[in-house]
Amino acid sequence: MAVLPLLLCLLPLAPASSPPQLATPSPCPRRCRCQTQSLPLSVLCPGAGLLFVPPSLDRRAAELRLADNFIAAVRRRDLANMTGLLHLSLSRNTIRHVAAGAFSDLRALRALHLDGNRLTSLGEGQLRGLVNLRHLILSNNQLAALAAGALDDCAETLEDLDLSYNNLEQLPWEALGRLGNVNTLGLDHNLLASVPAGAFSRLHKLARLDMTSNRLTTIPPDPLFSRLPLLARPRGSPASALVLAFGGNPLHCNCELVWLRRLAREDDLEACASPPALGGRYFWAVGEEEFVCEPPVVTHRSPPLAVPAGRPAALRCRAVGDPEPHVRWVSPQGRLLGNSSRARAFPNGTLELLVTEPGDGGIFTCIAANAAGEATAAVELTVGPPPPPQLANSTSCDPPRDGDPDVLTPPSAASASASAKAADTGPPTDRGVQVTEHGATAALVQWPDQRPIPGIRMYQIQYNSSADDILVYRMISADSRSFLLTDLASGRTYDLCVLAVYEDSTTGLTATRPVGCARFSTEPALRPCGAPHAPFLGGTMIIALGGVIVASVLVFIFVLLMRYKVHGGQPPGKAKVSAPVSSVCSQTNGATPALSAPEPSVPRAHTVVQLDCEPWGPSHEPRGP
């Protein structure tokens, strides 16, 4: 029991436990200003000449400003463990690369400024981890691609997205449609040529949409636009209004923009770029009745085709109108055709059957449709039996097959009735439109009087050749009944249509009505006889020069042979040997001749061959003994 009072007496002598110490703050990076005395902590390094993110950052900072430096990349370790960072500014640097996951630890970040850099693309992993991001500024970069999943982590929290002043031609519209809380969307000064219908229908909180200075020719109506009033200027606008800016685009002012023209707005930037009659006019000054469309007119279709089974076949259909018609094909069985394992439908109106079968024959229907109406044409396809197999050693030349897409063949007797029926719906001459006196580069077009159509303002001629899809327009006065075309190409087939432009008394709008169509061919140009081509002349000169060289060599060899025969071709028995041995070069078979006088009657047992060691001439002839 005496131990307990002793312990109680010793307790005051025990050292008191010290309070927990705060982490020692990191030193402020050189050329930066740091606020570490009170919360929140901030590191301010604007215009400090930094080449990279300082490694000695205080990881407890809530604000980090690194704008106006020379940082070229953001690495994974640069911003690691900065879980309390709320605001990050990297504006106006030279950033070309952001590592995947570079911001993955910044789960509390609210604002990220990456404007004024050199980013060319944004992938799916570069913004990973930004689950509380509110403001994302990516303007004034060189962005040409934005991945579909780049904004997945911040899609539910993002309120401000700025993609202006980039090089974007396409956008992941489905991903943008999931930004349910965004109220400001900047897409201006890009290269966008189209916006899909309904792209903004789910952006219920959108308050400002800027699509200024792109390549938009039309803006499709959107359910969002019909629910909210559209205003051009935010000053004085109600909170529920949507400010839409679309000036600086090459707008095509036809009936597709009537919905926008009917909105009450005040603006001074929008203007029409086309059609030619409205080009350059102030958008809001153009009357609603002038926003008109032209119904489709089929100007070219394939003639009846006959192909053997197993071969490909190409059916062509061309149509014109305003806006440009969309061409579809319907099979003889009434099915709508598209891309499949056996067929391909191209945007230019061509339907290609990769492998034909006997059941594919019949009348195919081409349907050209736009906002003003539809036009149809029929194309007959006959599928015959497959061609017989050819022998491997056959040397005969195959004639052009009927199934080749570019070979036009007359219809068979079995399809004569179907061909006549198909001719009634296509562009061959009808309703009195005639093309006469056509030569190699000119043709005279004539059409009947259209007095039954009241209020005709003008006539429009549309034509193109079979080798060119570009349509040429000619506007003719209302009192004309003929027109001379003088800009045609020789040896081509042309499809031509005449339309009457008139004022509809019922609606008061400008409308068009086809007068008729015709098909004609220009005569081939005469080819003048000219000088031979340069390659032919060059080859001839090379052959002639080679012949001269070969002849010269042969003559030289012949001269050498004759000279050898004249000077060194005597028989060995008649060869003379000079007395001085040093005056002539000789070769024997090894025997040395005697110094005594030779015996003429006894033939020598060796042959003497003279070598021409000195120039031959009268003064160098060998002398006798």
Side-chain angles (χ1 to χ4, degrees), residues 78 241 261 371 434 551 569:
D78 288 341
R261 177 61 184 83
Q434 298 181 357

Side-chain angles (χ1 to χ4, degrees), residues 149-206:
L151 306 176
D152 283 352
D153 286 4
C154 56
E156 298 181 358
T157 61
L158 203 60
E159 299 175 358
D160 183 13
L161 176 60
D162 190 355
L163 294 169
S164 59
Y165 289 92
N166 280 289
N167 300 324
L168 294 169
E169 298 182 6
Q170 296 290 336
L171 281 174
W173 296 105
E174 183 64 28
L176 292 182
R178 296 195 297 266
L179 305 180
N181 288 313
V182 69
N183 56 62
T184 302
L185 181 58
L187 304 176
D188 55 293
H189 294 87
N190 276 283
L191 305 175
L192 301 175
S194 63
V195 177
F200 312 109
S201 59
R202 292 180 289 174
L203 307 183
H204 303 290
K205 296 184 179 181
L206 189 63

Side-chain angles (χ1 to χ4, degrees), residues 563-564 566-568 583-587 609-617 620-622:
R563 184 175 179 181
Y564 171 76
V566 171
H567 296 284
S583 63
V584 72
C585 295
S586 62
Q587 181 178 352
V609 179
Q610 294 182 347
L611 299 180
D612 190 4
C613 299
E614 297 180 1
W616 285 90
H620 293 83
E621 293 183 358

Side-chain angles (χ1 to χ4, degrees), residues 36-380:
T36 59
Q37 301 300 326
S38 60
L39 297 177
L41 305 180
S42 61
V43 180
L44 309 178
C45 307
L50 300 177
L51 300 179
F52 47 84
V53 178
S56 58
L57 291 175
D58 195 328
R59 302 294 161 174
R60 303 172 301 165
E63 182 181 15
L64 176 59
R65 297 183 181 272
L66 300 171
D68 299 301
N69 284 286
F70 304 98
I71 300 174
V74 181
R75 298 165 294 183
R76 175 67 181 86
R77 63 177 181 270
D78 288 341
L79 303 171
N81 300 323
M82 301 189 72
T83 56
L85 192 63
L86 299 176
H87 185 99
L88 174 60
S89 176
L90 291 165
S91 305
R92 296 176 299 279
N93 278 275
T94 60
I95 298 175
R96 296 178 180 269
H97 174 68
V98 175
F103 307 119
S104 58
D105 290 345
L106 311 183
R107 306 187 69 84
L109 192 68
R110 301 292 183 89
L112 175 59
H113 293 259
L114 282 168
D115 52 295
N117 283 284
R118 301 177 183 178
L119 295 173
T120 58
S121 62
L122 201 62
E124 297 185 356
Q126 291 173 291
L127 300 179
R128 186 187 308 146
L130 301 178
V131 294
N132 285 299
L133 193 64
R134 302 288 191 272
H135 308 279
L136 177 58
I137 312 301
L138 292 166
S139 58
N140 285 285
N141 274 277
Q142 300 170 9
L143 289 175
L146 184 65
L151 306 176
D152 283 352
D153 286 4
C154 56
E156 298 181 358
T157 61
L158 203 60
E159 299 175 358
D160 183 13
L161 176 60
D162 190 355
L163 294 169
S164 59
Y165 289 92
N166 280 289
N167 300 324
L168 294 169
E169 298 182 6
Q170 296 290 336
L171 281 174
W173 296 105
E174 183 64 28
L176 292 182
R178 296 195 297 266
L179 305 180
N181 288 313
V182 69
N183 56 62
T184 302
L185 181 58
L187 304 176
D188 55 293
H189 294 87
N190 276 283
L191 305 175
L192 301 175
S194 63
V195 177
F200 312 109
S201 59
R202 292 180 289 174
L203 307 183
H204 303 290
K205 296 184 179 181
L206 189 63
R208 180 175 181 82
L209 175 60
D210 194 347
M211 294 188 293
T212 306
S213 297
N214 277 278
R215 297 179 178 177
L216 299 175
T217 58
T218 186
I219 301 175
D222 196 281
L224 178 68
F225 302 154
S226 61
R227 291 195 305 266
L228 299 177
L230 294 181
L231 298 175
R233 298 172 181 170
R235 181 178 301 176
S237 60
S240 60
L242 171 63
V243 178
L244 173 63
F246 58 90
N249 284 284
L251 296 177
H252 183 64
C253 296
N254 61 1
C255 63
E256 292 182 312
L257 288 181
V258 172
W259 72 271
L260 186 59
R261 177 61 184 83
R262 291 175 178 173
L263 301 176
R265 289 168 49 98
E266 293 181 0
D267 204 351
D268 56 356
L269 295 177
E270 290 82 2
C272 296
S274 58
L278 302 179
R281 292 181 58 182
Y282 176 48
F283 183 83
W284 304 107
V286 178
E288 182 180 332
E289 68 279 359
E290 298 184 73
F291 286 79
V292 297
C293 291
E294 296 181 3
V297 176
V298 177
T299 60
H300 175 74
R301 59 168 182 176
S302 297
L305 297 177
V307 298
R311 294 293 309 277
L315 310 180
R316 293 180 172 84
C317 182
R318 300 288 188 273
V320 296
D322 185 13
E324 183 178 356
H326 175 66
V327 177
R328 297 170 297 169
W329 286 90
V330 177
S331 69
Q333 293 77 25
R335 297 192 307 269
L336 187 64
L337 299 176
N339 292 327
S340 63
S341 59
R342 295 185 56 242
R344 287 186 298 178
F346 296 93
N348 63 356
T350 299
L351 176 67
E352 183 178 0
L353 303 178
L354 303 179
V355 180
T356 56
E357 296 180 355
D360 292 336
I363 302 297
F364 288 78
T365 304
C366 160
I367 303 176
N370 66 3
E374 291 185 353
T376 61
V379 177
E380 180 196 6

Side-chain angles (χ1 to χ4, degrees), residues 414-464:
S415 62
S417 59
S419 301
K421 185 182 299 182
D424 295 338
T425 59
T429 303
D430 56 357
R431 302 188 187 180
V433 174
Q434 298 181 357
V435 180
T436 59
E437 303 178 9
H438 47 275
T441 59
L444 180 63
V445 184
Q446 297 177 340
W447 60 91
D449 188 7
Q450 300 296 313
R451 291 180 181 178
I453 303 178
I456 294 181
R457 294 183 176 181
M458 65 186 71
Y459 290 100
Q460 185 183 74
I461 297 180
Q462 305 173 354
Y463 62 94
N464 69 329

